[in-house]
Amino acid sequence: MSDFHKPAHSIDEQIATLCSRGLAIPDEARVRHYLANISYFRLSAYTRPFYQPGLQEHRFLEGTSFEDVLRLYVFDRELRLLLLDAIERLEVALRAQLTNTLAEHHGPHGYLDPEIFDTRYNHGWLLDKLDPDNNRKKKNKGDKSQPDIEPFLKHYRKRYTAAPNQPPIWMAMELLTFKEVSILLENLRRSEDTQRIERHFGWKMPVLRSWFRSLSDLRNVCAHHGRVWNREFGSRPEMPRKVPAGWPSIPGSIETGSHEHPEQRLDPRRRLYLQLVVIESLMQVVSPTSQWAERLVTLLDHYPQVSRPHMGFPGHWDTEPFWREAVMNAREGAKA
């Protein structure tokens, strides 16, 4: 075990470090502005693709400028925003499906019955989470993590004094996080509930459970401004056992494109590409006119220098039938 001895550095010292490593900085004031508003540590993750491989000390590739690093950072930021745009629609659709299914099959407060969930589900936690009295007590005890009570929940408790403390399912679904909603989906027990949701989204429940769990994790990475473009995800979507016609080819490994180590390969199923396929598959159901895939293609084409393999894109992905229409529309639109 060793102690941590790295000292803190001023922005001027950070700029000096970048220069000493061979980074071209034609406009120091501009770099100082970004370091003050983004931070050296956050930007450092985007410098790594520009280092000379095989060296113990960090040295930038010849001709690398601060604008190259910033451009990669901006690409990742725009990619996160595009992902959030789709995930928001998919999350809302899942909430709507759970609301409608449980309300129609079991009534406004039917979810209070633990029998409709798997026995491994912590149903008591759900009841406690949705009881405004419990949240109020925790807040009064100084637990600042408790959110303010929603106006619709205050109205429900004031108006319906003889009703259960927990609100009806359509309110309950608005009080859970996406992660909590995805866990609730995983634990639905009755076939009439799961089959209805399967029919809506067009996929079997094992796949949907995996997909929405992964999307909730991806949403959290994006919402907290985490790097996504070359991330290896711990939570990955499950591949359908029987893929439909037009499903894109996702090989078990692809070349990274490294000149120094041409033998290097990575698993695209652990990278962003599979998540993009999942998102577009669900968006075709939930928001078919959104042109989300076209906007994805436009974004990628705007940043041709960003490594596709490190996002998990196989070679010639844009010729796959799955993406073909979006690619054609995006590129034809760019020419117009």
Side-chain angles (χ1 to χ4, degrees):
M1 190 166 61
S2 60
D3 291 332
F4 183 83
H5 296 294
K6 284 189 174 182
H9 291 294
S10 68
I11 288 179
D12 285 340
E13 290 170 325
Q14 292 166 1
I15 292 174
T17 297
L18 293 172
C19 288
S20 71
R21 293 175 177 175
L23 185 68
I25 298 180
D27 187 343
E28 191 171 305
R30 177 173 166 81
V31 175
R32 186 176 286 104
H33 168 82
Y34 282 109
L35 290 174
N37 288 283
I38 297 175
S39 92
Y40 180 89
F41 182 74
R42 179 176 288 275
L43 277 174
S44 67
Y46 300 91
T47 63
R48 295 189 177 279
F50 299 102
Y51 284 140
Q52 295 180 30
L55 300 182
Q56 285 190 339
E57 293 188 356
H58 295 319
R59 290 292 302 173
F60 284 98
L61 294 166
E62 189 72 28
T64 304
S65 76
F66 181 80
E67 293 304 316
D68 297 317
V69 176
L70 183 63
R71 189 169 175 81
L72 181 56
Y73 173 83
V74 171
F75 164 75
D76 200 41
R77 175 182 176 275
E78 292 179 4
L79 180 59
R80 283 195 301 271
L81 293 174
L82 185 65
L83 290 169
L84 283 172
D85 176 63
I87 293 172
E88 179 261 343
R89 299 170 196 245
L90 301 179
E91 176 187 345
V92 169
L94 177 60
R95 291 177 188 270
Q97 281 301 302
L98 285 168
T99 294
N100 297 340
T101 298
L102 296 181
E104 292 177 31
H105 289 180
H106 308 288
H109 287 92
Y111 75 94
L112 301 181
D113 181 3
E115 292 300 313
I116 70 174
F117 300 104
D118 189 282
T119 55
R120 292 166 291 184
Y121 182 55
N122 190 347
H123 188 256
W125 169 87
L126 179 68
L127 300 186
D128 183 65
K129 163 87 176 184
L130 296 173
D131 186 339
D133 288 348
N134 286 340
N135 292 334
R136 189 180 298 108
K137 289 174 186 176
K138 291 176 184 177
K139 202 172 185 70
N140 290 339
K141 288 181 180 179
D143 185 352
K144 296 181 180 180
S145 67
Q146 297 301 313
D148 292 335
I149 296 177
E150 291 281 358
F152 63 77
L153 193 54
K154 289 180 181 178
H155 172 76
Y156 166 77
R157 294 292 289 125
K158 183 177 181 180
R159 177 85 180 267
Y160 304 101
T161 54
N165 274 8
Q166 293 83 1
I169 186 64
W170 48 86
M171 295 183 191
M173 273 298 134
E174 299 303 318
L175 299 172
L176 300 176
T177 67
F178 188 14
K179 185 71 170 181
E180 291 163 351
V181 170
S182 71
I183 292 173
L184 190 144
L185 172 72
E186 284 186 46
N187 287 278
L188 289 182
R189 184 179 187 177
R190 298 192 174 173
S191 59
E192 63 266 29
D193 298 334
T194 58
Q195 287 172 3
R196 171 170 168 159
I197 294 171
E198 286 176 339
R199 287 194 298 271
H200 176 77
F201 288 111
W203 296 92
K204 291 295 183 182
M205 191 53 67
V207 168
L208 288 175
R209 288 178 181 130
S210 165
W211 285 7
F212 279 111
R213 182 175 64 249
S214 294
L215 289 177
S216 73
D217 291 338
L218 177 59
R219 176 262 172 208
N220 288 341
V221 172
C222 293
H224 293 284
H225 325 299
R227 174 179 44 81
V228 294
W229 79 274
N230 66 342
R231 179 182 290 268
E232 184 172 295
F233 294 90
S235 171
R236 61 174 179 172
E238 183 178 312
M239 290 278 288
R241 290 184 180 179
K242 186 178 180 181
V243 298
W247 180 265
S249 171
I250 305 178
S253 68
I254 58 174
E255 296 177 353
T256 64
S258 169
H259 298 297
E260 184 78 10
H261 299 285
E263 75 283 357
Q264 275 188 350
R265 304 183 72 84
L266 54 79
D267 183 353
R269 294 167 297 184
R270 291 189 175 277
R271 299 284 172 150
L272 184 64
Y273 181 69
L274 180 54
Q275 307 255 22
L276 297 174
V277 172
V278 165
I279 289 172
E280 175 57 15
S281 297
L282 293 171
M283 285 288 280
Q284 289 173 4
V285 175
V286 171
S287 191
T289 62
S290 71
Q291 299 179 320
W292 185 83
E294 292 178 26
R295 288 183 283 143
L296 172 64
V297 174
T298 299
L299 176 64
L300 292 168
D301 285 353
H302 189 63
Y303 294 90
Q305 73 279 15
V306 176
S307 169
R308 302 302 190 258
H310 285 87
M311 290 185 278
F313 282 84
H316 309 297
W317 68 273
D318 51 355
T319 64
E320 294 267 11
F322 183 84
W323 299 107
R324 190 177 295 150
E325 183 178 353
V327 169
M328 182 182 67
N329 290 342
R331 292 175 180 170
E332 286 296 322
K335 293 177 183 177

